[in-house]
Amino acid sequence: MNFEILGPLRVADGHVRVSASKHRTLLALLLCEHDHVVTVDQLVDEIWQENPPRSAVNLVRQYISHVRRKLGSSGASATSSRPELVTYSSGYSLDLRGSYLDRNVFEERVAVAQRAAARGETDSCVVAVTEALDLWRGPALIDVSCGPRTVAEARRLNGRRAFAEEMRIEAKLAVGRYAETVDELAALALVHPTRERLREHLMRTLYALGRRAEALEVYQEGRRALVDRLGIEPGTTLRRLEQEVLNDNLALRSRPRQELVSRPRRSAIPRQLPASHHDFIGRVRETEHLVDLLKPSVGGLPLVALSGLAGIGKTALALHVARRVRDSFPGGQMFARLSATDGPVPTANALLSFLRALGVSQSDVPPGLYQRAELFRGITADRQILVVLDDAGSESQVRALLPGPGASSVLVTSRRTLTGLDSAVHLTCGPLDADTGLAILGNLAGRQQLAQDPKSSSELVRWCRGLPVALCVIGAKLAAERGLTARTLLATLSGNGQLDELQLGELDVRARIASSHRRLGAAERDLLGRLAASARPVAGGDDLPQPLGELTPSDEALLEGLVANHMVEVLPSPGTGAGYFRLNYFVRLFIEQPRTGR
Ligand SMILES: Nc1ncnc2c1ncn2[C@@H]1O[C@H](COP(=O)(O)OP(=O)(O)O)[C@@H](O)[C@H]1O
Ligand SMILES: [Mg+2]
């Protein structure tokens, strides 16, 4: 759930509206003090100040339960980040539990900007502070009738905003970005005529731009404001600056120092997760486990690598999980597909799209892979983003796409277990269980159609062996082809040429396996062919393990590769001797059934 107080109070959740004035006052205070207990007295004071009605304590209770109902009715699922309004003997606390509050992101970004400025990384400072300022939609809590505590917090926040504005200006001036700063400065000086530091910046900027007369005017205006309003003369810094401008001291126009990194013109919070088009079904335990593993941790970089056969449902699972945890990553969510149908996506291209999504303009993206990766790490350092790398081809590709140190998390999918990523938690995406398979088939083909012949339907599901892409093709075919029933389809699938049946538009089991097969080395492909030939024909449909026989050391290494590609399973034999192997059923079909002329 998203809460925003940097401007009008907003609960940015389609389902929830908190509109009554006193409810808003109460919610505002609970948000300002979130995860801390606010006493009933404080709430009464905040809502009514000096004149509380006699029933004030009771009313507070009613307001609390109203707000609690509202928050509880959010569309967020039970386990995702839903805030909780907790009752204590002394009062109430709004526990955010991972919900988003714009103020917290603002403070975090300002802190990052300050650290960057201290390190002399001016551009990173500008990026972070711009992100902080972009969160503002007006003066804090402008539409809430605030009591003393929220008024104090709103004032403090407005002050922090002014501070951030000055920091941004100073950082830009430090690297000579005069032209783009001058208007912002002039506007600020108009609003705050007695702030001497602003006026000093404005004078220097005008002077650096060759607008000396205007710089002197700015001094005179400031002096008048100080004398008229406060009865004081400008301070020594400002007076000295006036003298230097009068003397045309050219040192003021010295060139700015070189910029450290190319500068993003605009900052942006990327939201790159693709929209979901299908219901995700099942995999409850895997989902919870992944959600847990991806929890952001300051200083660490949770990296989870999910591997499995083509079409087993890795992308679907990764996106399902990413959508579940997205609210824990206020810095944004990045998504890159690293393989296309015609081969791998160059890592430099993936970095280009990441940098563009982070607001770096095309002309500021450096040409080389290494520099792009470095800039990406620089911009994402200290942020809290989720990076999803889909269908990665290699360890080095993943390494180039890791964000900088901060509180980000990374989820990678790949067809091969990326054993070289040693800091990763490696998980295998295995077949779906039969119930999930039936549910997917029912969703696509229509439950009524399946209910007409439950036995054939279950057999179809069993035949798919938990491979989602196969289930999807079959379901879509049952839905699309008139007259096709579970029974007739089952009959076709037990004949030859099954693999050709498993194709409908983009959903194509053969094409998916073929592209994985192409990625194997020639020697691995050769061993796979030999294993398939030595195994009993698959016509009977049984997937019994077969004895491995004697293997040369080089074959053993190749076998390991096939196992890492999830094409072959190796089962230890009881006792001593060689083990057993089992080819994945669809891989075996792929090898045994060359494409029929189509
Ligand atoms: N748990 C699931 N529920 C519903 N559909 C699924 C599920 N898992 C996979 N699918 C569907 O199966 C197909 C193949 O899954 P995908 O994630 O693309 O496989 P992979 O990324 O492993 O190659 C996709 O059309 C996907 O939408
Ligand atoms: Mg995929």
Side-chain angles (χ1 to χ4, degrees):
M1 206 167 205
N2 290 352
F3 298 101
E4 298 174 355
I5 63 174
L6 304 178
L9 171 65
R10 204 154 70 170
V11 183
D13 180 310
H15 308 267
V16 182
R17 284 195 95 78
V18 179
S19 40
S21 161
K22 294 194 168 52
H23 295 159
R24 290 171 72 79
T25 304
L26 174 133
L27 179 59
L29 180 58
L30 289 168
L31 280 170
C32 289
E33 303 280 328
H34 73 83
D35 292 273
H36 288 86
V37 177
V38 179
T39 66
V40 176
D41 283 350
Q42 288 170 342
L43 286 167
V44 169
D45 190 33
E46 195 69 16
I47 298 172
W48 291 282
Q49 287 103 60
E50 275 86 61
N51 324 303
R54 291 236 312 274
S55 56
V57 171
N58 265 332
L59 285 170
V60 163
R61 261 188 220 124
Q62 283 174 26
Y63 299 162
I64 287 279
S65 65
H66 177 88
V67 170
R68 179 180 283 139
R69 261 201 316 279
K70 288 282 179 173
L71 301 186
S73 68
S74 99
S77 72
T79 37
S80 82
S81 52
R82 191 201 292 218
E84 197 166 319
L85 219 171
V86 186
T87 305
Y88 292 90
S89 57
S90 53
Y92 304 93
S93 159
L94 180 60
D95 291 359
L96 281 187
R97 311 195 167 195
S99 279
Y100 167 95
L101 178 62
D102 56 356
R103 178 192 73 181
N104 296 353
V105 180
F106 171 76
E107 296 287 10
E108 183 259 344
R109 290 282 95 201
V110 170
V112 167
Q114 282 178 298
R115 285 203 293 278
R119 291 193 300 263
E121 293 168 5
T122 313
D123 292 291
S124 306
C125 168
V126 172
V127 172
V129 75
T130 302
E131 282 166 352
L133 287 168
D134 283 350
L135 296 168
W136 285 79
R137 299 166 293 116
L141 290 171
I142 180 72
D143 66 339
V144 175
S145 97
C146 291
R149 285 180 177 76
T150 26
V151 164
E153 174 63 359
R155 280 208 192 120
R156 185 188 73 84
L157 285 170
N158 292 334
R160 293 286 289 164
R161 182 190 192 182
F163 167 80
E165 279 166 345
E166 264 183 43
M167 176 157 68
R168 176 162 64 181
I169 286 169
E170 284 176 20
K172 284 184 179 176
L173 295 181
V175 287
R177 292 161 72 172
Y178 300 120
E180 64 173 276
T181 319
V182 65
D183 295 330
E184 188 183 350
L185 263 174
L188 280 175
L190 214 60
V191 182
H192 309 286
T194 54
R195 261 163 56 188
E196 294 189 45
R197 198 148 164 74
L198 266 180
R199 208 151 281 273
E200 182 195 330
H201 289 319
L202 181 55
M203 285 175 69
R204 283 181 190 279
T205 305
L206 286 167
Y207 184 80
L209 290 169
R211 293 155 66 175
R212 191 163 149 241
E214 285 167 79
L216 291 169
E217 252 167 59
V218 164
Y219 175 81
Q220 290 304 334
E221 276 165 17
R223 182 176 172 270
R224 271 197 299 281
L226 286 167
V227 171
D228 292 352
R229 294 183 183 206
L230 308 172
I232 55 172
E233 285 290 325
T236 40
T237 318
L238 213 55
R239 286 206 308 272
R240 208 172 290 147
L241 183 60
E242 190 213 10
Q243 274 310 310
E244 284 183 74
V245 176
L246 279 171
N247 299 341
D248 206 5
N249 176 357
L250 287 175
L252 278 180
R253 261 185 225 156
S254 64
R255 291 183 62 77
R257 66 193 167 79
Q258 269 292 296
E259 293 179 36
L260 300 168
V261 287
S262 75
R263 68 176 102 105
R265 306 256 178 248
R266 232 187 81 241
S267 71
I269 295 190
R271 308 218 180 276
Q272 292 188 306
L273 296 180
S276 74
H277 301 295
H278 306 284
D279 287 340
F280 183 86
I281 304 173
R283 296 219 199 264
V284 176
R285 270 195 15 246
E286 286 112 307
T287 303
E288 295 310 323
H289 187 41
L290 282 163
V291 164
D292 209 43
L293 288 171
L294 288 171
K295 288 230 166 79
S297 82
V298 179
L301 181 72
L303 171 59
V304 182
L306 185 63
S307 65
L309 193 72
I312 197 74
K314 303 176 293 293
T315 304
L317 176 59
L319 287 176
H320 175 62
V321 169
R323 290 189 191 105
R324 272 275 307 272
V325 301
R326 72 188 337 153
D327 289 347
S328 309
F329 297 92
Q333 304 93 39
M334 321 217 60
F335 176 81
R337 259 183 234 295
L338 299 177
S339 303
T341 34
D342 52 350
V345 171
T347 312
N349 293 9
L351 277 165
L352 169 71
S353 82
F354 275 4
L355 290 170
R356 298 284 289 120
L358 285 161
V360 181
S361 69
Q362 186 85 30
S363 58
D364 283 338
V365 175
L369 170 67
Y370 180 74
Q371 295 97 311
R372 285 183 187 181
E374 194 173 63
L375 181 59
F376 176 60
R377 282 194 296 273
I379 294 180
T380 50
D382 286 326
R383 280 174 84 133
Q384 191 158 328
I385 60 171
L386 176 68
V387 178
V388 181
L389 304 174
D390 189 38
D391 225 344
S394 68
E395 285 87 347
S396 61
Q397 186 174 40
V398 172
R399 283 194 202 103
L401 290 160
L402 293 181
S408 299
S409 301
V410 181
L411 176 57
V412 182
T413 78
S414 65
R415 300 183 187 189
R416 182 171 66 80
T417 309
L418 299 175
T419 38
L421 292 177
D422 24 85
S423 60
V425 176
H426 295 276
L427 299 178
T428 303
C429 189
L432 296 173
D433 59 44
D435 286 343
T436 306
L438 201 59
I440 291 184
L441 205 60
N443 254 8
L444 294 167
R447 266 166 259 289
Q448 267 176 333
Q449 150 122 291
L450 298 194
Q452 283 167 11
D453 187 351
K455 187 160 167 284
S456 303
S457 305
S458 312
E459 266 176 60
L460 265 184
V461 169
R462 205 165 328 126
W463 189 87
C464 290
R465 292 161 173 81
L467 188 76
V469 65
L471 286 159
C472 287
V473 176
I474 284 177
K477 281 203 163 182
L478 285 175
E481 290 176 27
R482 283 192 55 202
L484 186 68
T485 64
R487 185 190 299 270
T488 50
L489 188 53
L490 199 58
T492 330
L493 289 173
S494 30
N496 275 334
Q498 296 112 320
L499 215 46
D500 288 328
E501 287 298 317
L502 293 179
Q503 196 252 320
L504 192 72
E506 294 264 275
L507 290 168
D508 186 341
V509 177
R510 182 195 294 279
R512 292 205 187 209
I513 306 238
S515 86
S516 299
H517 190 251
R518 272 196 302 276
R519 289 190 211 175
L520 297 177
E524 280 174 334
R525 280 202 294 268
D526 176 64
L527 176 62
L528 191 63
R530 280 186 281 136
L531 289 175
S534 78
R536 255 178 292 138
V538 86
D542 61 308
D543 304 318
L544 291 176
Q546 315 273 328
L548 258 176
E550 282 297 308
L551 286 181
T552 62
S554 70
D555 276 352
E556 267 179 33
L558 295 171
L559 185 63
E560 234 170 75
L562 295 176
V563 171
N565 274 285
H566 304 277
M567 293 187 161
V568 176
E569 241 180 306
V570 169
L571 306 114
S573 65
T576 55
Y580 289 81
F581 76 93
R582 177 162 49 200
L583 240 64
N584 176 280
Y585 182 72
F586 295 96
V587 173
R588 195 146 124 190
L589 285 185
F590 171 78
I591 292 173
E592 288 175 3
Q593 299 183 351
R595 184 180 286 282
T596 56
R598 247 204 294 174

